[in-house]
Amino acid sequence: MKLSNRLEAIYNLIPETTQTVVDVGTDHGQLIIKLVLEDKIKRAYGLDIASGPLAHAKANVLAYGLSDKIKLMQMDGLENFNEAVDTVVIAGMGGDTIWHIVDNYNFHPNQSLIIQSNTKNVWLRKQFTNNGFKLIDEIFLFDNHKPVFIMKFSLGHQRLSELELELGPILMNQINEDYLKYLKKEYHKLKKIVSYNPDVKKRIKLIESFLKEVSYERNN
């Protein structure tokens, strides 16, 4: 099964030790179908609040003959979800919605959490690391020319600087060309609005200092 760049990146972040996955907002179920088809996991749960996407997911699961390994459930986030899983995936939602789902679920120390938010990624880094989670991996990519941030957490303690919260402690060290392209575009966008939105001044300075450091390292 061919996945989008976004879903393929999430697929690759699933830990090798994972046996069971719950995919919150599963949409057409493509991620969990491929995970099972490729024998990367043994069992999956696909959750969605809407009946339409679940109907598409059910048709796909039936088409691949995976009804015995994938269970689809209509529910709001992880509310009332009590199955044992190794990895939780929450993707394709806004930052506030993702945090609400996470904040109302009882995570266990051996579970991994992979999120892909459409908004508030800097805020989410701060929320997670200030509330008992550790950022253990992150990916940036463009999918259909849209910037995509994917973050992987586990329970733990972590203190991040302002710069790390803004840019991502792992992304800062990867020097991803697409991420640099995104930051440069973001920097120029912020410079245009700073005159009537002074709140972005700190963000401009953080991005600017990072871009200058990368440029210096490349030229020396």
Side-chain angles (χ1 to χ4, degrees):
M1 173 178 284
K2 176 67 174 176
L3 298 179
S4 66
N5 292 339
R6 177 181 69 93
L7 290 180
E8 188 69 29
I10 295 172
Y11 175 93
N12 290 329
L13 277 182
I14 302 292
E16 292 298 326
T17 55
T18 297
Q19 296 292 308
T20 54
V21 166
V22 57
D23 181 22
V24 184
T26 196
D27 198 31
H28 292 184
Q30 293 177 330
L31 174 65
I32 51 178
I33 288 172
K34 182 168 182 177
L35 284 166
V36 174
L37 279 178
E38 300 290 332
D39 290 323
K40 191 162 184 176
I41 63 173
K42 301 298 183 186
R43 184 168 179 78
Y45 300 89
L47 315 184
D48 211 293
I49 194 171
S51 58
L54 277 180
H56 287 292
K58 183 177 181 180
N60 289 335
V61 169
L62 287 172
Y64 284 98
L66 297 176
S67 297
D68 58 330
K69 295 182 178 180
I70 296 177
K71 184 175 182 180
L72 302 172
M73 308 165 76
Q74 185 172 2
M75 57 176 56
D76 185 2
L78 288 164
E79 189 175 344
N80 300 318
F81 180 77
N82 299 309
E83 304 290 344
V85 294
D86 304 311
T87 298
V88 177
V89 176
I90 309 174
M93 304 177 197
D96 291 312
T97 300
I98 288 176
W99 179 248
H100 176 75
I101 292 170
V102 170
D103 198 34
N104 287 279
Y105 180 72
N106 184 28
F107 280 88
H108 302 291
N110 62 337
Q111 284 180 314
S112 295
L113 168 65
I114 299 172
I115 68 166
Q116 181 267 305
S117 175
N118 295 331
T119 63
K120 295 189 173 182
N121 286 286
V122 175
W123 177 79
L124 281 171
R125 284 193 198 99
K126 187 172 183 178
Q127 283 294 104
F128 276 98
T129 55
N130 283 350
N131 289 278
F133 286 88
K134 181 179 180 180
L135 180 60
I136 56 178
D137 205 352
E138 55 185 343
I139 292 174
F140 174 86
L141 59 106
F142 286 110
D143 192 11
N144 289 325
H145 307 291
K146 295 180 180 179
V148 175
F149 289 86
I150 303 169
M151 292 180 271
K152 182 177 177 180
F153 294 94
S154 64
L155 290 180
H157 300 285
Q158 187 177 40
R159 294 175 65 90
L160 299 179
S161 67
E162 279 192 335
L163 185 63
E164 288 172 326
L165 286 171
E166 176 65 42
L167 300 177
I170 297 166
L171 291 177
M172 285 173 57
N173 294 310
Q174 291 177 340
I175 313 298
N176 179 313
E177 294 300 328
D178 281 342
Y179 190 45
L180 290 177
K181 179 180 176 182
Y182 163 80
L183 288 177
K184 289 173 184 176
K185 185 176 181 180
E186 190 72 3
Y187 173 76
H188 290 299
K189 182 179 77 174
L190 293 172
K191 291 282 282 185
K192 290 180 180 178
I193 67 173
V194 67
S195 60
Y196 56 87
N197 185 4
D199 291 341
V200 303
K201 283 184 179 179
K202 182 182 289 186
R203 190 157 189 240
I204 289 173
K205 288 182 179 179
L206 291 171
I207 295 174
E208 184 177 49
S209 67
F210 176 72
L211 292 175
K212 283 183 177 178
E213 182 180 344
V214 171
S215 178
Y216 176 82
E217 289 177 355
R218 288 185 166 185
N219 295 320
N220 290 276

PDB file of all heavy atoms in Angstrom, residues 83-110:
ATOM      1  N   GLU A  83      -8.327  -0.634  25.585  1.00  0.00           N
ATOM      2  CA  GLU A  83      -7.525  -1.747  25.084  1.00  0.00           C
ATOM      3  C   GLU A  83      -6.029  -1.504  25.363  1.00  0.00           C
ATOM      4  O   GLU A  83      -5.569  -0.364  25.409  1.00  0.00           O
ATOM      5  CB  GLU A  83      -7.737  -1.916  23.579  1.00  0.00           C
ATOM      6  CG  GLU A  83      -9.181  -2.104  23.161  1.00  0.00           C
ATOM      7  CD  GLU A  83      -9.758  -3.437  23.589  1.00  0.00           C
ATOM      8  OE1 GLU A  83      -8.972  -4.335  23.939  1.00  0.00           O
ATOM      9  OE2 GLU A  83     -10.999  -3.575  23.578  1.00  0.00           O
ATOM     10  N   ALA A  84      -5.289  -2.581  25.535  1.00  0.00           N
ATOM     11  CA  ALA A  84      -3.847  -2.479  25.764  1.00  0.00           C
ATOM     12  C   ALA A  84      -3.131  -2.269  24.437  1.00  0.00           C
ATOM     13  O   ALA A  84      -3.286  -3.067  23.515  1.00  0.00           O
ATOM     14  CB  ALA A  84      -3.338  -3.746  26.441  1.00  0.00           C
ATOM     15  N   VAL A  85      -2.354  -1.186  24.341  1.00  0.00           N
ATOM     16  CA  VAL A  85      -1.598  -0.895  23.123  1.00  0.00           C
ATOM     17  C   VAL A  85      -0.185  -0.432  23.489  1.00  0.00           C
ATOM     18  O   VAL A  85       0.041   0.107  24.566  1.00  0.00           O
ATOM     19  CB  VAL A  85      -2.283   0.190  22.260  1.00  0.00           C
ATOM     20  CG1 VAL A  85      -3.616  -0.316  21.719  1.00  0.00           C
ATOM     21  CG2 VAL A  85      -2.468   1.476  23.032  1.00  0.00           C
ATOM     22  N   ASP A  86       0.736  -0.640  22.559  1.00  0.00           N
ATOM     23  CA  ASP A  86       2.118  -0.212  22.757  1.00  0.00           C
ATOM     24  C   ASP A  86       2.357   1.207  22.266  1.00  0.00           C
ATOM     25  O   ASP A  86       3.159   1.940  22.836  1.00  0.00           O
ATOM     26  CB  ASP A  86       3.080  -1.143  22.011  1.00  0.00           C
ATOM     27  CG  ASP A  86       2.906  -2.596  22.411  1.00  0.00           C
ATOM     28  OD1 ASP A  86       2.879  -2.860  23.620  1.00  0.00           O
ATOM     29  OD2 ASP A  86       2.793  -3.447  21.507  1.00  0.00           O
ATOM     30  N   THR A  87       1.693   1.572  21.165  1.00  0.00           N
ATOM     31  CA  THR A  87       1.923   2.879  20.542  1.00  0.00           C
ATOM     32  C   THR A  87       0.605   3.549  20.202  1.00  0.00           C
ATOM     33  O   THR A  87      -0.302   2.918  19.662  1.00  0.00           O
ATOM     34  CB  THR A  87       2.771   2.730  19.260  1.00  0.00           C
ATOM     35  OG1 THR A  87       4.050   2.187  19.602  1.00  0.00           O
ATOM     36  CG2 THR A  87       2.982   4.076  18.578  1.00  0.00           C
ATOM     37  N   VAL A  88       0.530   4.836  20.536  1.00  0.00           N
ATOM     38  CA  VAL A  88      -0.635   5.665  20.232  1.00  0.00           C
ATOM     39  C   VAL A  88      -0.250   6.651  19.143  1.00  0.00           C
ATOM     40  O   VAL A  88       0.769   7.333  19.244  1.00  0.00           O
ATOM     41  CB  VAL A  88      -1.113   6.433  21.482  1.00  0.00           C
ATOM     42  CG1 VAL A  88      -2.280   7.349  21.140  1.00  0.00           C
ATOM     43  CG2 VAL A  88      -1.495   5.460  22.600  1.00  0.00           C
ATOM     44  N   VAL A  89      -1.060   6.723  18.090  1.00  0.00           N
ATOM     45  CA  VAL A  89      -0.852   7.692  17.011  1.00  0.00           C
ATOM     46  C   VAL A  89      -2.036   8.651  16.985  1.00  0.00           C
ATOM     47  O   VAL A  89      -3.189   8.215  16.936  1.00  0.00           O
ATOM     48  CB  VAL A  89      -0.711   7.004  15.634  1.00  0.00           C
ATOM     49  CG1 VAL A  89      -0.591   8.053  14.527  1.00  0.00           C
ATOM     50  CG2 VAL A  89       0.490   6.068  15.614  1.00  0.00           C
ATOM     51  N   ILE A  90      -1.740   9.951  17.037  1.00  0.00           N
ATOM     52  CA  ILE A  90      -2.786  10.976  16.910  1.00  0.00           C
ATOM     53  C   ILE A  90      -2.314  11.948  15.840  1.00  0.00           C
ATOM     54  O   ILE A  90      -1.372  12.711  16.063  1.00  0.00           O
ATOM     55  CB  ILE A  90      -3.031  11.728  18.232  1.00  0.00           C
ATOM     56  CG1 ILE A  90      -3.252  10.752  19.394  1.00  0.00           C
ATOM     57  CG2 ILE A  90      -4.241  12.654  18.092  1.00  0.00           C
ATOM     58  CD1 ILE A  90      -3.367  11.424  20.754  1.00  0.00           C
ATOM     59  N   ALA A  91      -2.936  11.921  14.686  1.00  0.00           N
ATOM     60  CA  ALA A  91      -2.424  12.693  13.551  1.00  0.00           C
ATOM     61  C   ALA A  91      -3.535  13.406  12.795  1.00  0.00           C
ATOM     62  O   ALA A  91      -4.680  12.954  12.769  1.00  0.00           O
ATOM     63  CB  ALA A  91      -1.658  11.768  12.600  1.00  0.00           C
ATOM     64  N   GLY A  92      -3.151  14.539  12.192  1.00  0.00           N
ATOM     65  CA  GLY A  92      -4.061  15.253  11.312  1.00  0.00           C
ATOM     66  C   GLY A  92      -5.075  16.125  12.004  1.00  0.00           C
ATOM     67  O   GLY A  92      -6.121  16.441  11.445  1.00  0.00           O
ATOM     68  N   MET A  93      -4.772  16.547  13.246  1.00  0.00           N
ATOM     69  CA  MET A  93      -5.687  17.401  14.009  1.00  0.00           C
ATOM     70  C   MET A  93      -4.971  18.667  14.437  1.00  0.00           C
ATOM     71  O   MET A  93      -3.771  18.827  14.243  1.00  0.00           O
ATOM     72  CB  MET A  93      -6.181  16.654  15.251  1.00  0.00           C
ATOM     73  CG  MET A  93      -6.833  15.329  14.976  1.00  0.00           C
ATOM     74  SD  MET A  93      -7.293  14.504  16.520  1.00  0.00           S
ATOM     75  CE  MET A  93      -7.529  12.838  15.906  1.00  0.00           C
ATOM     76  N   GLY A  94      -5.728  19.573  15.058  1.00  0.00           N
ATOM     77  CA  GLY A  94      -5.146  20.784  15.605  1.00  0.00           C
ATOM     78  C   GLY A  94      -4.481  20.514  16.942  1.00  0.00           C
ATOM     79  O   GLY A  94      -4.776  19.522  17.618  1.00  0.00           O
ATOM     80  N   GLY A  95      -3.593  21.413  17.336  1.00  0.00           N
ATOM     81  CA  GLY A  95      -2.840  21.235  18.571  1.00  0.00           C
ATOM     82  C   GLY A  95      -3.707  21.154  19.809  1.00  0.00           C
ATOM     83  O   GLY A  95      -3.474  20.325  20.698  1.00  0.00           O
ATOM     84  N   ASP A  96      -4.719  21.994  19.910  1.00  0.00           N
ATOM     85  CA  ASP A  96      -5.604  21.983  21.078  1.00  0.00           C
ATOM     86  C   ASP A  96      -6.336  20.652  21.194  1.00  0.00           C
ATOM     87  O   ASP A  96      -6.478  20.099  22.293  1.00  0.00           O
ATOM     88  CB  ASP A  96      -6.618  23.123  20.993  1.00  0.00           C
ATOM     89  CG  ASP A  96      -5.976  24.485  21.163  1.00  0.00           C
ATOM     90  OD1 ASP A  96      -5.191  24.658  22.117  1.00  0.00           O
ATOM     91  OD2 ASP A  96      -6.242  25.375  20.341  1.00  0.00           O
ATOM     92  N   THR A  97      -6.810  20.145  20.073  1.00  0.00           N
ATOM     93  CA  THR A  97      -7.531  18.867  20.083  1.00  0.00           C
ATOM     94  C   THR A  97      -6.616  17.728  20.506  1.00  0.00           C
ATOM     95  O   THR A  97      -6.992  16.870  21.317  1.00  0.00           O
ATOM     96  CB  THR A  97      -8.113  18.578  18.685  1.00  0.00           C
ATOM     97  OG1 THR A  97      -9.003  19.626  18.323  1.00  0.00           O
ATOM     98  CG2 THR A  97      -8.869  17.247  18.682  1.00  0.00           C
ATOM     99  N   ILE A  98      -5.396  17.711  19.968  1.00  0.00           N
ATOM    100  CA  ILE A  98      -4.446  16.655  20.322  1.00  0.00           C
ATOM    101  C   ILE A  98      -4.141  16.692  21.807  1.00  0.00           C
ATOM    102  O   ILE A  98      -4.148  15.651  22.480  1.00  0.00           O
ATOM    103  CB  ILE A  98      -3.160  16.791  19.497  1.00  0.00           C
ATOM    104  CG1 ILE A  98      -3.435  16.393  18.042  1.00  0.00           C
ATOM    105  CG2 ILE A  98      -2.036  15.915  20.074  1.00  0.00           C
ATOM    106  CD1 ILE A  98      -2.258  16.590  17.112  1.00  0.00           C
ATOM    107  N   TRP A  99      -3.876  17.884  22.338  1.00  0.00           N
ATOM    108  CA  TRP A  99      -3.553  17.960  23.763  1.00  0.00           C
ATOM    109  C   TRP A  99      -4.739  17.539  24.627  1.00  0.00           C
ATOM    110  O   TRP A  99      -4.579  16.870  25.646  1.00  0.00           O
ATOM    111  CB  TRP A  99      -3.077  19.354  24.158  1.00  0.00           C
ATOM    112  CG  TRP A  99      -2.781  19.410  25.631  1.00  0.00           C
ATOM    113  CD1 TRP A  99      -3.454  20.098  26.588  1.00  0.00           C
ATOM    114  CD2 TRP A  99      -1.745  18.696  26.313  1.00  0.00           C
ATOM    115  NE1 TRP A  99      -2.918  19.862  27.830  1.00  0.00           N
ATOM    116  CE2 TRP A  99      -1.852  18.997  27.681  1.00  0.00           C
ATOM    117  CE3 TRP A  99      -0.736  17.827  25.890  1.00  0.00           C
ATOM    118  CZ2 TRP A  99      -1.001  18.467  28.644  1.00  0.00           C
ATOM    119  CZ3 TRP A  99       0.121  17.290  26.843  1.00  0.00           C
ATOM    120  CH2 TRP A  99      -0.013  17.613  28.193  1.00  0.00           C
ATOM    121  N   HIS A 100      -5.941  17.905  24.238  1.00  0.00           N
ATOM    122  CA  HIS A 100      -7.142  17.506  24.983  1.00  0.00           C
ATOM    123  C   HIS A 100      -7.262  15.983  25.033  1.00  0.00           C
ATOM    124  O   HIS A 100      -7.579  15.409  26.086  1.00  0.00           O
ATOM    125  CB  HIS A 100      -8.388  18.113  24.346  1.00  0.00           C
ATOM    126  CG  HIS A 100      -9.669  17.680  24.981  1.00  0.00           C
ATOM    127  ND1 HIS A 100     -10.106  18.162  26.199  1.00  0.00           N
ATOM    128  CD2 HIS A 100     -10.610  16.780  24.568  1.00  0.00           C
ATOM    129  CE1 HIS A 100     -11.254  17.590  26.520  1.00  0.00           C
ATOM    130  NE2 HIS A 100     -11.584  16.745  25.546  1.00  0.00           N
ATOM    131  N   ILE A 101      -6.998  15.328  23.904  1.00  0.00           N
ATOM    132  CA  ILE A 101      -7.069  13.868  23.860  1.00  0.00           C
ATOM    133  C   ILE A 101      -6.025  13.251  24.777  1.00  0.00           C
ATOM    134  O   ILE A 101      -6.305  12.344  25.566  1.00  0.00           O
ATOM    135  CB  ILE A 101      -6.874  13.366  22.413  1.00  0.00           C
ATOM    136  CG1 ILE A 101      -8.074  13.771  21.541  1.00  0.00           C
ATOM    137  CG2 ILE A 101      -6.697  11.845  22.376  1.00  0.00           C
ATOM    138  CD1 ILE A 101      -7.861  13.525  20.063  1.00  0.00           C
ATOM    139  N   VAL A 102      -4.790  13.752  24.685  1.00  0.00           N
ATOM    140  CA  VAL A 102      -3.691  13.206  25.490  1.00  0.00           C
ATOM    141  C   VAL A 102      -3.923  13.449  26.969  1.00  0.00           C
ATOM    142  O   VAL A 102      -3.694  12.562  27.809  1.00  0.00           O
ATOM    143  CB  VAL A 102      -2.357  13.841  25.048  1.00  0.00           C
ATOM    144  CG1 VAL A 102      -1.235  13.484  26.013  1.00  0.00           C
ATOM    145  CG2 VAL A 102      -1.996  13.386  23.636  1.00  0.00           C
ATOM    146  N   ASP A 103      -4.386  14.634  27.309  1.00  0.00           N
ATOM    147  CA  ASP A 103      -4.559  15.026  28.706  1.00  0.00           C
ATOM    148  C   ASP A 103      -5.652  14.228  29.407  1.00  0.00           C
ATOM    149  O   ASP A 103      -5.707  14.191  30.635  1.00  0.00           O
ATOM    150  CB  ASP A 103      -4.873  16.526  28.780  1.00  0.00           C
ATOM    151  CG  ASP A 103      -4.633  17.105  30.155  1.00  0.00           C
ATOM    152  OD1 ASP A 103      -3.693  16.647  30.839  1.00  0.00           O
ATOM    153  OD2 ASP A 103      -5.372  18.023  30.551  1.00  0.00           O
ATOM    154  N   ASN A 104      -6.494  13.586  28.621  1.00  0.00           N
ATOM    155  CA  ASN A 104      -7.587  12.800  29.204  1.00  0.00           C
ATOM    156  C   ASN A 104      -7.386  11.299  29.043  1.00  0.00           C
ATOM    157  O   ASN A 104      -8.339  10.524  29.120  1.00  0.00           O
ATOM    158  CB  ASN A 104      -8.923  13.217  28.575  1.00  0.00           C
ATOM    159  CG  ASN A 104      -9.389  14.573  29.052  1.00  0.00           C
ATOM    160  OD1 ASN A 104      -9.947  14.703  30.125  1.00  0.00           O
ATOM    161  ND2 ASN A 104      -9.127  15.601  28.252  1.00  0.00           N
ATOM    162  N   TYR A 105      -6.126  10.895  28.818  1.00  0.00           N
ATOM    163  CA  TYR A 105      -5.806   9.475  28.662  1.00  0.00           C
ATOM    164  C   TYR A 105      -4.685   9.111  29.620  1.00  0.00           C
ATOM    165  O   TYR A 105      -3.753   9.892  29.827  1.00  0.00           O
ATOM    166  CB  TYR A 105      -5.388   9.190  27.213  1.00  0.00           C
ATOM    167  CG  TYR A 105      -5.034   7.748  26.928  1.00  0.00           C
ATOM    168  CD1 TYR A 105      -6.024   6.763  26.879  1.00  0.00           C
ATOM    169  CD2 TYR A 105      -3.715   7.374  26.702  1.00  0.00           C
ATOM    170  CE1 TYR A 105      -5.706   5.443  26.605  1.00  0.00           C
ATOM    171  CE2 TYR A 105      -3.391   6.050  26.421  1.00  0.00           C
ATOM    172  CZ  TYR A 105      -4.391   5.089  26.380  1.00  0.00           C
ATOM    173  OH  TYR A 105      -4.059   3.780  26.115  1.00  0.00           O
ATOM    174  N   ASN A 106      -4.773   7.942  30.191  1.00  0.00           N
ATOM    175  CA  ASN A 106      -3.783   7.493  31.167  1.00  0.00           C
ATOM    176  C   ASN A 106      -2.671   6.714  30.467  1.00  0.00           C
ATOM    177  O   ASN A 106      -2.800   5.515  30.227  1.00  0.00           O
ATOM    178  CB  ASN A 106      -4.453   6.625  32.232  1.00  0.00           C
ATOM    179  CG  ASN A 106      -3.485   6.208  33.328  1.00  0.00           C
ATOM    180  OD1 ASN A 106      -2.517   6.916  33.617  1.00  0.00           O
ATOM    181  ND2 ASN A 106      -3.754   5.072  33.942  1.00  0.00           N
ATOM    182  N   PHE A 107      -1.579   7.412  30.135  1.00  0.00           N
ATOM    183  CA  PHE A 107      -0.454   6.763  29.466  1.00  0.00           C
ATOM    184  C   PHE A 107       0.364   5.930  30.444  1.00  0.00           C
ATOM    185  O   PHE A 107       0.438   6.230  31.633  1.00  0.00           O
ATOM    186  CB  PHE A 107       0.456   7.799  28.794  1.00  0.00           C
ATOM    187  CG  PHE A 107      -0.062   8.288  27.481  1.00  0.00           C
ATOM    188  CD1 PHE A 107      -0.932   9.367  27.421  1.00  0.00           C
ATOM    189  CD2 PHE A 107       0.292   7.654  26.302  1.00  0.00           C
ATOM    190  CE1 PHE A 107      -1.430   9.809  26.211  1.00  0.00           C
ATOM    191  CE2 PHE A 107      -0.193   8.098  25.083  1.00  0.00           C
ATOM    192  CZ  PHE A 107      -1.057   9.176  25.045  1.00  0.00           C
ATOM    193  N   HIS A 108       0.994   4.886  29.888  1.00  0.00           N
ATOM    194  CA  HIS A 108       1.847   4.005  30.683  1.00  0.00           C
ATOM    195  C   HIS A 108       3.303   4.192  30.269  1.00  0.00           C
ATOM    196  O   HIS A 108       3.592   4.568  29.128  1.00  0.00           O
ATOM    197  CB  HIS A 108       1.424   2.549  30.495  1.00  0.00           C
ATOM    198  CG  HIS A 108       0.002   2.298  30.871  1.00  0.00           C
ATOM    199  ND1 HIS A 108      -0.445   2.348  32.165  1.00  0.00           N
ATOM    200  CD2 HIS A 108      -1.086   2.007  30.110  1.00  0.00           C
ATOM    201  CE1 HIS A 108      -1.744   2.088  32.198  1.00  0.00           C
ATOM    202  NE2 HIS A 108      -2.157   1.883  30.958  1.00  0.00           N
ATOM    203  N   PRO A 109       4.263   3.932  31.173  1.00  0.00           N
ATOM    204  CA  PRO A 109       5.681   4.176  30.884  1.00  0.00           C
ATOM    205  C   PRO A 109       6.220   3.455  29.656  1.00  0.00           C
ATOM    206  O   PRO A 109       7.164   3.913  29.026  1.00  0.00           O
ATOM    207  CB  PRO A 109       6.380   3.689  32.163  1.00  0.00           C
ATOM    208  CG  PRO A 109       5.356   3.836  33.232  1.00  0.00           C
ATOM    209  CD  PRO A 109       4.050   3.519  32.576  1.00  0.00           C
ATOM    210  N   ASN A 110       5.633   2.315  29.303  1.00  0.00           N
ATOM    211  CA  ASN A 110       6.164   1.551  28.160  1.00  0.00           C
ATOM    212  C   ASN A 110       5.488   1.917  26.839  1.00  0.00           C
ATOM    213  O   ASN A 110       5.770   1.308  25.812  1.00  0.00           O
ATOM    214  CB  ASN A 110       6.018   0.049  28.414  1.00  0.00           C
ATOM    215  CG  ASN A 110       4.560  -0.372  28.572  1.00  0.00           C
ATOM    216  OD1 ASN A 110       3.708   0.435  28.901  1.00  0.00           O
ATOM    217  ND2 ASN A 110       4.278  -1.643  28.346  1.00  0.00           N
TER     218      ASN A 110
END
